[in-house]
Amino acid sequence: MHEIGLVEEVIEIVRQRTGDAPIRRVVLEVGALAAVLPDAMRFAFEVCREGTPLAGAILDLVETPGLARCRACGAEVRLDRPFGRCTCGNADLDWMSGEELRIREVEVG
Ligand SMILES: [Zn+2]
């Protein structure tokens, strides 16, 4: 389950920003193409937050849509899963966004 590693990274980044201040809430943007399972993310967070300033924190996941460009006709294609097809029928897509995992907001307190 690679979500554990991702969550550990998120906790590390939050601690670098806020030190030992207790955290109330973390809002995490998860791209639809990031191959991250929200339930696994929440579970990993519950395990990893123990003994850290995030022990009492809520994890909010915001899913952001994936966006790709068709390599055949250049059209933009919205994706909600890591595969898809352009309206022109081509499946050779260049992913532009949706793979990111980004901390949008950290609430201290
Ligand atoms: Zn196309």
Side-chain angles (χ1 to χ4, degrees):
M1 196 166 86
H2 73 133
E3 281 83 1
I4 292 269
L6 293 172
V7 164
E8 280 174 344
E9 226 171 279
V10 166
I11 290 174
E12 188 54 39
I13 292 167
V14 169
R15 293 190 75 170
Q16 279 170 15
R17 283 196 200 171
T18 58
D20 290 328
I23 305 300
R24 188 184 304 178
R25 196 164 78 107
V26 177
V27 183
L28 202 60
E29 278 180 22
V30 181
L33 312 178
V36 164
L37 299 172
D39 283 350
M41 237 13 223
R42 288 193 190 93
F43 175 77
F45 185 73
E46 277 176 27
V47 173
C48 297
R49 69 181 175 177
E50 290 306 318
T52 78
L54 286 77
I58 296 165
L59 179 67
D60 272 347
L61 298 175
V62 179
E63 200 170 292
T64 55
L67 196 63
R69 189 176 295 283
C70 174
R71 286 201 174 101
C73 73
E76 279 188 3
V77 185
R78 278 174 77 93
L79 300 171
D80 55 10
R81 50 186 65 188
F83 49 87
R85 193 176 281 277
C86 176
T87 48
C88 77
N90 175 47
D92 186 14
L93 304 175
D94 191 12
W95 292 1
M96 297 190 295
S97 68
E99 293 175 273
E100 63 279 350
L101 195 69
R102 205 165 68 84
I103 298 170
R104 182 191 282 186
E105 208 181 310
V106 176
E107 241 178 75
V108 179

